[in-house]
Amino acid sequence: MKVLLINGSPHREGCTYTALCEVSRALNNNGVDTDIFWIGNKALSGCIACKKCQGTGKCVFQDSVNEFLEIAGDYDGFVFGTPVHWAGATGAMTSFMDRVFYADLNGGSSHFRLKPAAAVISARRAGTTATWDQMNKYFGLMQMPIVTSQYWNMAHGACPEDVRQDLEGLQTMRTLGNNMAFFINCKNLGLKMGLKLPEEESRIRTNFIR
């Protein structure tokens, strides 16, 4: 069992990383292996809707998006972390998730279907709940069960040391890791007992625009 935690901060080991590490430790304590994937701090283009990903499952731009897609299928769950920029996810993280999920959807790879997901948000002060809502919309479209915690998945601080002093935030991260581990274990147990994943119908797209 493996979970991939995605660090969407431009700072490799900043506040977002600190929060993700607390989730990671909780997962490890439950027997779940973890890796952290940093999207980097180079400019990430947004999706240009060229649809070159159809049939390939890869994005036309060669950057961390394709690096992530190459390994995503090996994981049982995902935690996407981002700091708050202007009351939302960072521009880079938004572009990253737009392209990752669009390429997977158009390419028919199904790397994410019915795999649990969660968002972790870090901020100095405000904008966390709006960002959490924004991130969860991706998971809902990709048929990814959303794992929650004892509170909205957020940690506060302007530097890693601040985050380490946010005791409630750290507890929220640990609870999130425990809950995700439990969900993955339940899913795997069901599969071992013969429970099959639901069959997926061909996608219907209704267009009522006249």
Side-chain angles (χ1 to χ4, degrees), residues 1-79:
M1 296 181 295
K2 295 193 300 183
V3 168
L4 187 57
L5 301 99
I6 300 88
N7 179 7
S9 171
H11 305 292
R12 187 164 197 158
E13 296 185 355
C15 296
T16 303
Y17 171 83
T18 304
L20 289 173
C21 284
E22 196 72 7
V23 181
S24 176
R25 279 188 286 271
L27 286 163
N28 295 159
N29 289 338
N30 284 276
V32 179
D33 294 330
T34 55
D35 293 308
I36 294 182
F37 182 93
W38 183 44
I39 71 171
N41 53 15
K42 295 180 180 179
L44 281 173
S45 169
C47 179
I48 60 172
C50 67
K51 298 189 177 180
K52 293 290 180 63
C53 54
Q54 286 183 344
T56 68
K58 296 182 180 180
C59 184
V60 69
F61 298 118
Q62 296 301 320
D63 52 25
S64 59
V65 168
N66 282 339
E67 293 174 15
F68 174 77
L69 285 168
E70 287 178 3
I71 64 173
D74 297 330
Y75 290 87
D76 302 292
F78 301 89
V79 180

Side-chain angles (χ1 to χ4, degrees), residues 14-210:
C15 296
T16 303
Y17 171 83
T18 304
L20 289 173
C21 284
E22 196 72 7
V23 181
S24 176
R25 279 188 286 271
L27 286 163
N28 295 159
N29 289 338
N30 284 276
V32 179
D33 294 330
T34 55
D35 293 308
I36 294 182
F37 182 93
W38 183 44
I39 71 171
N41 53 15
K42 295 180 180 179
L44 281 173
S45 169
C47 179
I48 60 172
C50 67
K51 298 189 177 180
K52 293 290 180 63
C53 54
Q54 286 183 344
T56 68
K58 296 182 180 180
C59 184
V60 69
F61 298 118
Q62 296 301 320
D63 52 25
S64 59
V65 168
N66 282 339
E67 293 174 15
F68 174 77
L69 285 168
E70 287 178 3
I71 64 173
D74 297 330
Y75 290 87
D76 302 292
F78 301 89
V79 180
F80 290 81
T82 181
V84 171
H85 288 182
W86 296 96
T90 68
M93 189 58 165
T94 300
S95 294
F96 180 85
M97 296 180 75
D98 281 355
R99 290 169 50 206
V100 159
F101 290 127
Y102 193 68
D104 184 81
L105 200 61
N106 276 340
S109 301
S110 295
H111 288 322
F112 307 101
R113 180 174 178 258
L114 296 178
K115 293 182 179 180
V120 163
I121 317 300
S122 73
R124 183 190 68 84
R125 192 167 181 85
T128 47
T129 54
T131 305
W132 190 66
D133 291 342
Q134 174 191 350
M135 302 277 279
N136 283 336
K137 288 182 173 66
Y138 290 96
F139 312 143
L141 183 61
M142 298 302 293
Q143 302 185 58
M144 303 174 77
I146 298 171
V147 179
T148 57
S149 184
Q150 65 190 41
Y151 194 73
W152 299 303
N153 309 334
M154 61 184 72
H156 289 88
C159 65
E161 183 55 37
D162 290 344
V163 174
R164 285 189 279 269
Q165 295 181 51
D166 180 10
L167 299 184
E168 183 179 358
L170 293 179
Q171 187 180 62
T172 299
M173 297 301 116
R174 291 193 298 273
T175 302
L176 175 61
N178 292 336
N179 289 352
M180 178 165 281
F182 178 80
F183 185 94
I184 292 173
N185 279 317
C186 287
K187 177 184 174 183
N188 288 342
L189 181 60
L191 292 174
K192 287 179 181 178
M193 294 178 66
L195 183 65
K196 296 181 179 180
L197 296 178
E199 293 186 10
E200 190 170 16
E201 295 184 18
S202 298
R203 188 174 290 266
I204 298 173
R205 297 183 184 275
T206 304
N207 185 0
F208 290 111
I209 300 176
R210 295 290 186 265

